[in-house]
Amino acid sequence: MTQKTVTTIYWIGAVLTSLWFGASGFFEITGNPVVWGITQQLGYPAHFIYLLGVFKLSGVAVLLTPGKLLRLKEWVFAGIFFDIIFAFGSKLAVLGLPATLDAVIAFVMVSVTYVMFRKMYPGLKEEFAWRGGYAAEL
């Protein structure tokens, strides 16, 4: 796979992920009744929904910043994965298997995007490596 293909797949995935999580975050912050209804049905309190929205929108801003904030992007991907996994588990427990389809689709989309991110920046492994018990940046 060429670097151009990797970059193209990454940016398509980053934009789709940003649209998905950006819309979700916006609806959580603005109190959209559909999003709030489902989230509260899953048992999450109001303050958590607002925080989730703020973190999603912040993550989208980081994700769409080209070529910078690479360590923070790793954290954003981790946060997105946690969000998807918890959404899957909550929906499975409360709403049943058919309600988890969106989480499965999101997981596949974000997984492909993350793999392309790692292929775009292969040196991240060494940059983030621990040496002698101390972080590389210390």
Side-chain angles (χ1 to χ4, degrees):
M1 187 176 304
T2 68
Q3 190 63 28
K4 184 177 180 179
T5 303
V6 168
T7 302
T8 302
I9 294 170
Y10 167 75
W11 280 109
I12 290 171
V15 167
L16 291 175
T17 300
S18 296
L19 287 171
W20 188 315
F21 284 88
S24 174
F26 175 77
F27 292 143
E28 288 160 350
I29 287 175
T30 58
N32 179 283
V34 174
V35 172
W36 270 66
I38 292 170
T39 310
Q40 287 180 319
Q41 185 180 2
L42 296 174
Y44 294 104
H47 69 276
F48 179 77
I49 301 170
Y50 282 119
L51 284 172
L52 201 55
V54 168
F55 283 116
K56 284 181 181 179
L57 292 176
S58 301
V60 164
V62 170
L63 202 59
L64 293 176
T65 304
K68 296 183 185 211
L69 306 171
L70 302 181
R71 184 178 303 253
L72 197 52
K73 282 183 188 182
E74 289 276 344
W75 281 92
V76 168
F77 277 113
I80 290 171
F81 280 117
F82 283 124
D83 180 77
I84 293 168
I85 290 166
F86 290 134
F88 178 85
S90 297
K91 288 181 176 184
L92 183 62
V94 176
L95 304 175
L97 186 61
T100 64
L101 182 61
D102 62 336
V104 172
I105 292 169
F107 186 82
V108 171
M109 177 181 67
V110 175
S111 294
V112 170
T113 304
Y114 180 70
V115 168
M116 295 302 116
F117 171 72
R118 293 303 299 218
K119 285 187 178 198
M120 282 176 57
Y121 301 101
L124 288 180
K125 189 176 203 177
E126 292 79 29
E127 181 183 335
F128 296 166
W130 287 76
R131 295 187 184 104
Y134 296 97
E137 68 268 6
L138 291 179

